[in-house]
Structure formats: C-alpha cells, structure tokens
Amino acid sequence: MKVLIVGGGPAGTLAAINLGNKCEVTLVEEHQAAGFPVQCAGLISQPCYDKLKKYSKRSLVNRIEGAFFFSPDGNYIEMVGKRKGVVIERKILDFELIKEASRTAEIFLKSTYVESCVESGSKKARIVTSSGERLEEYDLLIGADGVNSRVAREFGFSRPEIFSAVQVELAFECLDENMVELYFGRYYSDGFFAYAIPIDSSTARLGVVSKSDPKSYLERLVEKHPSVSKRAGKSVIEVNAGAIPVGLNEIFKENVCLIGDSAGMVKPYTGGGIYYHLLAAEILGRNFPDLGKYRSDYLKLLGKDYRTGMRILRLYSKLSDTDYNELVRVGKDMFESYTKELDMDHPSSLLSILPRLIKLVSLKPALIAKIAKELAL
Ligand SMILES: Cc1cc2nc3c(=O)[nH]c(=O)nc-3n(C[C@H](O)[C@H](O)[C@H](O)COP(=O)(O)OP(=O)(O)OC[C@H]3O[C@@H](n4cnc5c(N)ncnc54)[C@H](O)[C@@H]3O)c2cc1C
C-alpha cells in the first residue's frame, strides 16, 4: 500500500515513523528543511519528551518545574503540577525527526503538494519541485500540512477556529529560570493568554495568543504589564508569528486523513500541539489502515480532555480583569497546595480539584457562578 504524507513537521514525521515498514511511505515537505520558520515556544511535558527523546537527542534547552499564573494587576500564584515540563528547540527536533523518518520513508524536501487527480484509474498527487512537476501515485493521502492545510481544504474537511500568535525571543529577567510565566486578562489577550517560556535565567520566549491582533497585545505586555515591563529587555533575538487551531475536526474521509494542526490536534486551553500529534501518530500506526479506528481511539483517549479544554478556553473570554485579580488574591495560599494534582497534558484533572477549591475560597458568589457555569461543574 502506498501512503503519501504531505508536510514534514512533527505530525508528518511522527506519522511516518509510526507507520514504519507497514506500507510504502513517501513524505513531501515544501521547505528546504522542516522547522522553518519556527512557530513554537517549545514547551512540552516531560512524558512527551521522554517519548520524543528516542528520536531527538539534542533538542533539550531547559527544564520546567511549574508555572506562575499572573493576574493583570501583577500578582501571581505559583503552581507546581504533577507533570514537569521541558523546553525544546523546534529547529533541532524537526531536523532529527525527519532524519528518523527517513529510515523507513522516502523524503522529498523542496517539494510542494498541489492537488490530487485521478489518472488511468489511480489516485495521483501533483508535486512541484525545483526541477519541475511530477505525479506521485498513492492509496492513502495524509494531510500533515499544518494549520492552513491544503489537503483539508481540497477535500472539504471542516476547519477549526483559528487563534493568532506572536512571539519574540528576548533578554528577560526570569523570576525563576525553571518556571513558565502565564499572564491572564483582557488587557493582554483577546480570549487567550500571554506567556514567557524561560530559555535560561536571562532569556525567554515571550508571546501572546489571541483571537485578534496579538502584536498589539504583545507590545502592551512588554510596555505596560506591572511585572513584565520591569524585566523585559530591548534586544530581540528572534520574532515568530503563527496560528493556532482550536477544536478537533473531521480527521478522515475515504482514503484521505489528517494529523496534527491540520486536524486541530492542539490542546485548546494552551495551544500546545506536539503531545497530541505524538499520540495521534502512535494511534494511526497501531490501527493502520483502519482510519475509523484511528479516529475512535484518538477520541477515546483525548475526547474528555478536548471537552474540558474547550470549556477552559471559553472561560478565558468570560472572566474580566477584576475576576482574575480576585482569583489570584484569594486563591494564593490554597491553590498552590492543590495544584500538585494537576496534569499539564490532561485538563480534566482540573475538574477534580476545582469544586473543592471553590468551596474553600471566599470568592464573590457571582464569580463562583461564572466559573461553575463555563466548566459545567
Ligand atoms: C507561537 C506558537 C507557539 C507554540 N508553542 C508551542 C509549544 O510551546 N508547545 C507545543 O506543543 N506546541 C506549540 N505550538 C503549536 C505547535 O507549534 C504546532 O502544533 C505544531 O508545529 C504543528 O505541527 P504540524 O506538523 O501539524 O504542522 P507544522 O509544524 O506547521 O508542519 C507542517 C509542514 O507542512 C509543510 N507544508 C505545508 N503545506 C505543504 C504542501 N502543500 N506541500 C508540502 N509541504 C507542505 C510546511 O512547510 C510545514 O513544514 C505553538 C504554535 C505557535 C504558533
């Protein structure tokens, strides 16, 4: 059976690695190398890294113990969850994954998938390379071509909601080089949050994910945030912009399937995609060529986390800056001990502790009602 994978990002290469020798795999990537331009902060959980390090030995940049959750007034809560994290360098990870995939798959760089056609009764893909155009026959087409997936559009797959992101790597005085900083509030994002992912004690990836205009929110974060503005340096090392799909969509139709951002395989409450791609690729490989089982096993594993993740995402738009200030003020001591039960890869762990927390803290009844309604407690 001939499988054609479009896209050499983590979703495409992990799919190729997991399909291994079960079929004849060809992967096409339009750029000269995968991982460019970088559109990632590189934060993944330790269990995700433990699986990836089989293929990627050099991508580790930093280790993460937990996170500081900032309210807009500059106060913060420290949360150290059950799972630790790591920061990786995507350029290196993507390079190493392509190398691993090339052990069993045929990889063509600088090769763009344009469209499919039927010729002499077989399905063929039109691929444009630097030396011209060719047709590649396939039995199964896998769209791992990212958030703006050409494959998904061509075959009429439903599309996820899109958030925008802008990120800069810059000199930054981190509160703790092993703690991520998350900045909440409508003044710093429309419907999501801003973040600082430390590379070391004096450098971080500072970014904003937002429904609209993340660049203006990022400028405001750097210039006006009571804590960030005092610690962000002026010298920017790298600027990245990208899009984040939220909400899982259709993932297969007849002999076409999607994996990764093209399918909305991203945690809706953080925008992190790599762990979900890794799990999806394992499930695809295990069930190949049964695409129905690929979908049902993926939903069995992550369906509950998607539902909770979407509710948390909605809550970001419902809480006002005053609500965030109040939450951090009253929750400071109590939240910190309860969050040891939280798992960054599984937001449903939040549902088990939140009702207990709400009972404990003296929040305004209207704020309790708002949180309970959005999280369907
Ligand atoms: C600012 C930002 C920060 C992020 N931070 C994190 C984070 O900290 N942790 C995390 O887990 N996730 C993070 N993410 C999400 C993560 O980067 C994505 O989920 C992940 O890169 C998606 O992988 P993918 O393989 O599906 O798509 P991509 O990485 O986009 O790869 C798709 C590939 O397909 C190729 N392609 C596209 N069209 C064609 C075509 N027609 N023919 C051939 N090739 C084609 C592209 O060149 C590209 O290489 C972040 C996203 C953004 C925007």
Side-chain angles (χ1 to χ4, degrees):
M1 189 168 181
K2 289 185 175 182
V3 174
L4 175 63
I5 300 178
V6 181
T13 46
L14 287 164
I17 291 166
N18 281 276
L19 289 172
N21 289 317
K22 289 183 176 178
C23 49
E24 205 179 303
V25 179
T26 301
L27 185 153
V28 291
E29 163 55 50
E30 68 184 351
H31 290 117
Q32 188 159 5
F36 293 99
V38 175
Q39 290 171 342
C40 191
L43 178 67
I44 54 174
S45 66
Q46 182 69 49
C48 177
Y49 180 65
D50 289 342
K51 287 184 181 227
L52 283 175
K53 71 183 178 202
K54 268 191 284 179
Y55 322 117
S56 177
K57 308 273 182 255
R58 296 186 298 113
S59 57
L60 182 71
V61 177
N62 193 13
R63 294 194 180 274
I64 298 299
E65 296 295 322
F68 297 124
F69 285 66
F70 278 81
S71 48
D73 60 6
N75 282 322
Y76 62 89
I77 301 180
E78 178 180 328
M79 292 198 178
V80 177
K82 206 156 53 177
R83 289 192 174 189
K84 308 288 180 222
V86 303
V87 183
I88 47 135
E89 186 56 62
R90 270 292 298 274
K91 287 176 221 139
I92 300 177
L93 176 77
D94 287 24
F95 173 80
E96 292 183 314
L97 288 178
I98 285 250
K99 202 166 152 214
E100 180 66 24
S102 70
R103 289 153 69 96
T104 49
E106 208 170 352
I107 312 268
F108 293 97
L109 299 174
K110 284 168 80 178
S111 301
T112 305
Y113 167 87
V114 181
E115 63 183 356
S116 287
C117 56
V118 180
E119 208 193 66
S120 319
S122 334
K123 283 261 182 198
K124 291 190 179 158
R126 204 150 65 79
I127 310 290
V128 173
T129 69
S130 44
S131 54
E133 198 180 289
R134 66 187 169 83
L135 289 177
E136 180 80 36
E137 196 178 327
Y138 67 81
D139 301 302
L140 170 66
L141 179 67
I142 300 183
D145 47 346
V147 64
N148 297 312
S149 174
R150 187 185 285 246
V151 174
R153 278 184 280 123
E154 180 185 1
F155 289 91
F157 283 80
S158 57
R159 307 305 302 128
E161 188 185 353
I162 305 289
F163 281 65
S164 309
V166 172
Q167 175 183 290
V168 286
E169 190 167 315
L170 80 178
F172 188 68
E173 210 181 293
C174 301
L175 286 183
D176 181 325
E177 67 178 303
N178 301 114
M179 296 288 281
V180 166
E181 299 183 21
L182 305 175
Y183 314 107
F184 290 91
R186 292 184 187 183
Y187 200 56
Y188 304 109
S189 164
D190 173 10
F192 217 89
F193 57 78
Y195 56 82
I197 312 283
I199 304 301
D200 55 39
S201 60
S202 58
T203 319
R205 291 172 184 156
L206 199 64
V208 171
V209 180
S210 176
K211 276 186 209 162
S212 61
D213 203 7
K215 187 169 169 282
S216 302
Y217 284 109
L218 184 60
E219 282 164 6
R220 190 183 276 175
L221 182 78
V222 172
E223 284 160 20
K224 301 262 168 51
H225 190 278
S227 177
V228 177
S229 61
K230 294 195 186 91
R231 295 182 286 127
K234 297 272 174 273
S235 55
V236 170
I237 302 158
E238 195 174 300
V239 183
N240 312 117
I244 294 187
V246 292
L248 183 67
N249 278 266
E250 286 175 292
I251 61 177
F252 84 96
K253 284 183 177 190
E254 294 173 27
N255 64 338
V256 182
C257 80
L258 304 180
I259 189 163
D261 274 14
S262 62
M265 289 176 172
V266 162
K267 295 175 195 165
Y269 58 104
T270 66
I274 298 170
Y275 186 55
Y276 280 13
H277 307 350
L278 178 83
L279 296 175
E282 287 176 353
I283 293 170
L284 178 66
R286 210 164 42 237
N287 292 303
F288 179 82
D290 186 343
L291 299 180
K293 191 88 172 48
Y294 161 53
R295 179 181 179 280
S296 62
D297 277 11
Y298 184 77
L299 286 178
K300 205 187 290 171
L301 185 68
L302 291 172
K304 191 170 167 204
D305 284 330
Y306 267 101
R307 284 192 294 280
T308 313
M310 290 304 287
R311 287 185 203 144
I312 295 173
L313 173 69
R314 276 198 301 269
L315 191 61
Y316 297 153
S317 301
K318 298 284 171 181
L319 295 180
S320 66
D321 287 5
T322 316
D323 292 339
Y324 279 117
N325 292 340
E326 168 86 349
L327 263 175
V328 168
R329 189 184 58 76
V330 299
K332 206 163 172 51
D333 299 328
M334 270 166 275
F335 284 3
E336 289 179 357
S337 56
Y338 271 87
T339 54
K340 291 196 176 59
E341 295 176 42
L342 290 178
D343 180 336
M344 73 185 268
D345 283 330
H346 298 287
S348 40
S349 58
L350 177 68
L351 295 187
S352 64
I353 65 160
L354 214 63
R356 278 182 278 155
L357 280 175
I358 284 177
K359 270 190 207 141
L360 280 175
V361 298
S362 53
L363 285 175
K364 288 186 189 124
L367 179 51
I368 295 177
K370 205 187 275 188
I371 296 172
K373 182 172 167 236
E374 289 311 318
L375 297 181
L377 296 174

